[in-house]
Amino acid sequence: DKITIDAESGQGLYYAGRRIDNAADDPDIVVVALGTNDFNAPDAFKETARLSLQTLQEASCVVWVDTQEFEPGLAEINSGLVDLTEEFDLHIAGWSALAGPSELHTTDGYHLSAAGQQLFADLIAATVETNCLRADG
């Protein structure tokens, strides 16, 4: 019933730490959607993501949106997220599998068009509904 969105454009995981700490203060369902801003530091990403997930351990459900793989390092980031599902109760919203068609992006090829934004939002909603919302609670 209560949704809080704490967002800022252009934030990678390192700079999103305060927002993740804030989410941990009142955990329920947490969605992390960072985009592609960590492409140049895939090794650091996995360890920082691990620390973030430790911070969010009290959340009833954590969904992390993976990233489209159009730069070197992004496949490594997605692979690191998959690895972390073995350590944490983490659900991945598979944006990488959907993000390819050019009509989902603006002319710069990176940012999402209205159709891309809608598909992205629908993916998050479906992932939360499937993995986090239960009929019994």
Side-chain angles (χ1 to χ4, degrees):
D1 294 334
K2 178 184 150 205
I3 297 174
T4 302
I5 298 173
D6 186 355
E8 184 174 337
S9 179
Q11 296 289 299
L13 179 55
Y14 177 79
Y15 295 103
R18 180 185 57 78
R19 289 180 164 79
I20 290 171
D21 290 346
N22 289 344
D25 288 341
D26 185 21
D28 190 15
I29 298 169
V30 177
V31 176
V32 180
L34 294 172
T36 59
N37 293 306
D38 292 297
F39 73 91
N40 59 350
D43 294 331
F45 178 89
K46 184 175 177 182
E47 188 54 37
T48 306
R50 178 180 283 112
L51 295 171
S52 296
L53 290 164
Q54 288 170 348
T55 300
L56 295 171
Q57 283 187 5
E58 298 299 317
S60 65
C61 187
V62 178
V63 170
W64 202 303
V65 183
D66 74 359
T67 186
Q68 182 180 359
E69 298 175 1
F70 59 82
E71 292 283 348
L74 294 174
E76 253 183 282
I77 285 173
N78 287 343
S79 176
L81 287 174
V82 170
D83 291 348
L84 291 170
T85 62
E86 296 173 12
E87 295 177 48
F88 299 94
D89 186 17
L90 171 65
H91 306 281
I92 297 176
W95 180 241
S96 62
L98 302 175
S102 61
E103 64 270 11
L104 298 178
H105 303 277
T106 61
T107 56
D108 69 5
Y110 298 104
H111 296 94
L112 298 179
S113 65
Q117 292 171 20
Q118 186 63 59
L119 184 60
F120 190 82
D122 291 346
L123 170 68
I124 292 170
T127 305
V128 168
E129 183 175 354
T130 300
N131 296 288
C132 305
L133 303 178
R134 294 167 180 66
D136 62 351

